[in-house]
Amino acid sequence: MQILQEQITSPPIHPSEARADSTGVLLTVDLDALAENYRRLDRLSGRATCAAVVKANAYGLGVAIIAPALHLAGCRTFFVATFAEANDLRDVLDANGQDAEVFVLNGISVQDAAPAQERRLVPVLNSLEQVAAWRTSATSQPEVAIHVDTAMSRLGLPLAAAAHLLSESDLYEELNVTALLSHLACSEQPDHPLNRQQLESFMALREGLPPLRSGVANSSGIFLGPEFCLDLVRTGVALYGANPTPDRPNPMAEVVNLKGKIIQTRQIDRGMTVGYGATFTATRPMRLATVPVGYADGYARALGNRGLGEIGGVRVPVVGRVSMDLTVFDVTDVAPGIAVPGNDIQLIGGAASLDEVAEAAGTISYEILVRLGARLKRIYISTAEHT
């Protein structure tokens, strides 16, 4: 199983027991907050099945721990991107005595059809070619989902092709089509007209078809209202604490927290420079603190002269470029005795929220999460019982 087991601290520990390792870095994942987020999204989904997206190793946080925790929170349907991810997820669930539906968003090749059917993996078929391949290669009547492209122009059958395919009675005799899916392009923008257009196109296609579970909503789509939730919603980044409603306060609990221990401080005079390329020049006497976290750990290089941290209740800016292993913060305005070697600067979480860090890096919270580096040991905290 290709899960990075060396990153996993199991079983989860109580928050009071969380300690940085010898690198001086502490990345904690709050499983109680994860469960709270799932249950909140499940309630908002109404009658729809609330599925969890755990692709890319559960958005970089470790599917070997995240998936079982979500299952304990009540999740019974999961989505991943690839056949390999689906196999790993099934191994994790089996090892924990848990069962669930596993959908594979990118589809499954003919070569992998037999093992996929044995492991009860559900391919999301995205093209007529994929549908034809499964119609000819399936050894039994496997469960499949059909993905319809209503605006993304990425994966999925065009509307006209989907309408023709779904009108064929032989399709349902040869394949057990149980779900019809699409994907909203602009759900984070609640007033964008494309949201309504996509829903109407999808609902028009659905008319007159055999009973199929239908789903278009991702995390942000849930907040567009009950009519967008249909039968199945796919919750992704909101589970992990990112804001699915960027125009409003974040309704999700914080899951990820990254701290770096100060390993050195120094005073510099006006006119001195900081870091590679001398991209920052002090305009006053300054006090600087260096932490052992850099772009090799997933703390984006783009945060140079743009990012921020927090210590002692004070937001402290990144100065100079982020190096591979080190980042420097301006702690001039922090009270004496606080920004000293051995104390932590909050890098992600708290006053340096995941979404704010992503915005400063010129990216989105998804990328910040999945790029959190392999050498960061994930420490899982929980006050609940996890078996």
Side-chain angles (χ1 to χ4, degrees):
M1 187 173 65
Q2 300 302 311
I3 304 298
L4 298 178
Q5 293 287 1
E6 68 272 13
Q7 297 180 11
I8 304 299
T9 296
S10 181
I13 63 175
H14 192 277
S16 63
E17 300 172 348
R19 297 288 184 274
D21 65 9
S22 59
T23 66
V25 182
L26 180 63
L27 174 63
T28 58
V29 180
D30 188 334
L31 298 182
D32 295 342
L34 176 78
E36 178 185 337
N37 287 342
Y38 175 78
R39 288 190 288 264
R40 174 172 173 74
L41 293 167
D42 186 36
R43 289 193 300 270
L44 289 171
S45 301
R47 67 176 183 83
T49 297
C50 186
V53 181
V54 292
K55 61 185 179 179
N57 198 20
Y59 286 54
L61 300 183
V63 72
I65 298 293
I66 296 297
L70 287 168
H71 193 280
L72 287 171
C75 183
R76 296 295 182 270
T77 303
F78 293 89
F79 280 79
V80 294
T82 68
F83 175 62
E85 289 180 344
N87 265 325
D88 287 344
L89 175 58
R90 183 63 77 195
D91 286 344
V92 166
L93 295 172
D94 288 350
N96 286 275
Q98 298 170 328
D99 192 25
E101 285 186 300
V102 178
F103 286 83
V104 185
L105 287 165
N106 292 2
I108 296 174
S109 69
V110 172
Q111 293 86 342
D112 295 323
Q117 291 174 64
E118 290 175 7
R119 305 212 73 184
R120 294 175 297 110
L121 307 178
V122 182
V124 178
L125 304 182
N126 294 287
S127 67
L128 292 175
E129 292 78 11
Q130 284 186 339
V131 172
W134 271 76
R135 293 174 89 165
T136 58
S137 66
T139 57
S140 60
Q141 193 180 42
E143 182 179 353
V144 301
I146 303 293
H147 179 195
V148 181
D149 177 26
T150 53
M152 289 281 282
S153 301
R154 189 178 63 172
L155 285 178
L157 281 74
L159 281 166
H164 180 74
L165 173 72
L166 294 166
S167 69
E168 297 179 22
S169 59
D170 289 350
L171 174 70
Y172 306 97
E173 295 174 3
E174 296 167 6
L175 294 176
N176 183 15
V177 182
T178 62
L180 184 66
L181 306 175
S182 192
H183 195 77
L184 297 173
C186 302
S187 58
E188 292 181 356
Q189 305 169 57
D191 296 327
H192 199 291
L194 197 55
N195 293 320
R196 174 65 53 185
Q197 292 172 26
Q198 285 190 261
L199 180 62
E200 291 177 354
S201 295
F202 184 84
M203 297 304 289
L205 176 69
R206 179 180 162 181
E207 287 182 9
L209 295 179
L212 298 173
R213 286 182 296 169
S214 300
V216 299
N218 53 7
S219 293
S220 296
I222 295 172
F223 291 84
L224 294 177
E227 62 185 321
F228 282 84
C229 293
L230 303 179
D231 307 306
L232 178 67
V233 299
R234 303 184 299 278
T235 59
V237 75
L239 289 172
Y240 310 109
N243 189 356
T245 58
D247 59 327
R248 288 174 276 169
N250 191 354
M252 313 314 299
E254 180 180 289
V255 174
V256 177
N257 188 293
L258 178 64
K259 296 178 180 178
K261 199 172 293 296
I262 297 171
I263 58 174
Q264 191 174 97
T265 60
R266 68 180 63 242
Q267 296 285 145
I268 65 171
D269 295 327
R270 182 176 181 276
M272 295 181 68
T273 61
V274 181
Y276 286 116
T279 62
F280 180 88
T281 301
T283 58
R284 59 173 177 163
M286 297 178 68
R287 187 156 45 102
L288 306 180
T290 302
V291 298
V293 178
Y295 58 76
D297 305 294
Y299 196 72
R301 188 171 183 270
L303 290 167
N305 296 311
R306 291 170 55 90
L308 60 93
E310 182 271 329
I311 182 171
V314 177
R315 287 156 67 93
V316 292
V318 174
V319 291
R321 287 181 178 165
V322 174
S323 303
M324 182 181 291
D325 314 297
L326 301 166
T327 301
V328 179
F329 291 84
D330 173 11
V331 295
T332 308
D333 297 328
V334 178
I338 294 178
V340 296
N343 285 351
D344 293 329
I345 291 181
Q346 184 86 44
L347 305 178
I348 299 176
S353 74
L354 173 63
D355 294 291
E356 190 169 8
V357 170
E359 184 178 2
T363 186
I364 54 176
S365 52
Y366 302 72
E367 185 173 8
I368 296 296
L369 286 172
V370 300
R371 287 185 176 274
L372 290 173
R375 68 182 180 185
L376 292 175
K377 184 177 182 180
R378 283 99 173 109
I379 297 177
Y380 298 88
I381 60 173
S382 177
T383 58
E385 292 291 330
H386 289 266
T387 57

